[in-house]
């Protein structure tokens, strides 16, 4: 007696493979589109004489684990990837007052530009400076 697989089972197996492949492809496409839904925060930091400050620690937090970076030799910084939401951006450096920029809105696939941040020499009477973020009425092209 010959062992043969019935034709309807072969067709069902083929349909199952096609369905499984399609589901995996959809999951992969969904995962790729989710990865591109992050935003960024860009900014520059200067001292009281408008000189860029290198090495400032910049931290963005929205209740979860904060993301950190440091400013470059031109005072520039970028924090990415950030999930959409509202962040507090904290800037710290030895011998300087800490600066907190509150309510920074990060949108998916967008760059949020902070106004230039000014840091002052440490003053024990005013150790932390709070700045409120305001979303600009006009956005630069592509943002």
């Amino acid at each position: 007696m010959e062992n043969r697989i019935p034709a309807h089972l072969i067709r069902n197996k083929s349909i199952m493979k096609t369905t499984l492949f399609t589901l995996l492809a959809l999951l992969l496409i969904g995962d790729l589109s989710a990865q591109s839904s992050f935003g960024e925060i860009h900014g520059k930091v200067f001292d009281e004489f408008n000189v860029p400050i290198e090495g400032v620690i910049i931290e963005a937090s929205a209740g979860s684990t904060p993301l950190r970076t440091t400013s470059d030799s031109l005072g520039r910084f970028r924090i990415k990837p950030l999930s959409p939401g509202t962040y507090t951006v904290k800037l710290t450096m030895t011998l300087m007052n800490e600066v907190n920029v509150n309510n920074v809105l990060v949108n998916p696939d967008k760059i949020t530009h902070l106004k230039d941040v000014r840091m002052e020499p440490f003053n024990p009477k005013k150790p932390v400076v709070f700045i409120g973020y305001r979303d600009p009425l006009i956005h630069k092209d592509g943002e």
Side-chain angles (χ1 to χ4, degrees):
M1 186 168 174
E2 209 175 300
N3 289 333
R4 290 188 158 201
I5 300 173
H8 72 280
L9 290 179
I10 293 173
R11 268 184 267 127
N12 286 345
K13 191 174 183 181
S14 176
I15 291 171
M16 286 179 59
K17 282 183 181 179
T18 303
T19 304
L20 182 61
F21 177 76
T22 303
L23 286 173
L24 288 174
L26 289 173
L27 285 173
L28 180 62
I29 290 169
D31 189 43
L32 291 175
S33 67
Q35 290 177 0
S36 67
S37 65
F38 292 105
E40 303 178 18
I41 296 174
H42 293 193
K44 294 179 184 177
V45 60
F46 298 91
D47 66 12
E48 71 273 23
F49 303 109
N50 289 330
V51 175
I53 307 174
E54 181 178 6
V56 174
I57 299 170
I58 299 98
E59 176 180 290
S61 60
S64 60
T65 305
L67 284 176
R68 292 182 182 92
T69 190
T70 57
S71 58
D72 66 13
S73 61
L74 299 175
R76 298 176 303 198
F77 62 88
R78 294 179 180 190
I79 304 175
K80 64 179 186 177
L82 295 169
S83 297
T86 303
Y87 287 80
T88 295
V89 179
K90 181 169 75 170
L91 295 91
T92 56
M93 181 157 189
T94 305
L95 301 177
M96 302 296 270
N97 281 347
E98 177 181 305
V99 176
N100 286 327
V101 184
N102 298 316
N103 301 315
V104 178
L105 183 61
V106 173
N107 292 304
D109 300 320
K110 301 280 184 190
I111 297 171
T112 301
H113 291 275
L114 298 182
K115 288 184 179 179
D116 291 348
V117 178
R118 306 261 179 254
M119 295 188 80
E120 301 171 356
F122 181 72
N123 178 348
K125 293 181 181 177
K126 188 178 161 185
V128 179
V129 177
F130 292 95
I131 301 172
Y133 173 77
R134 292 184 68 175
D135 194 26
L137 294 175
I138 300 173
H139 293 272
K140 297 177 184 177
D141 288 340
E143 297 176 7

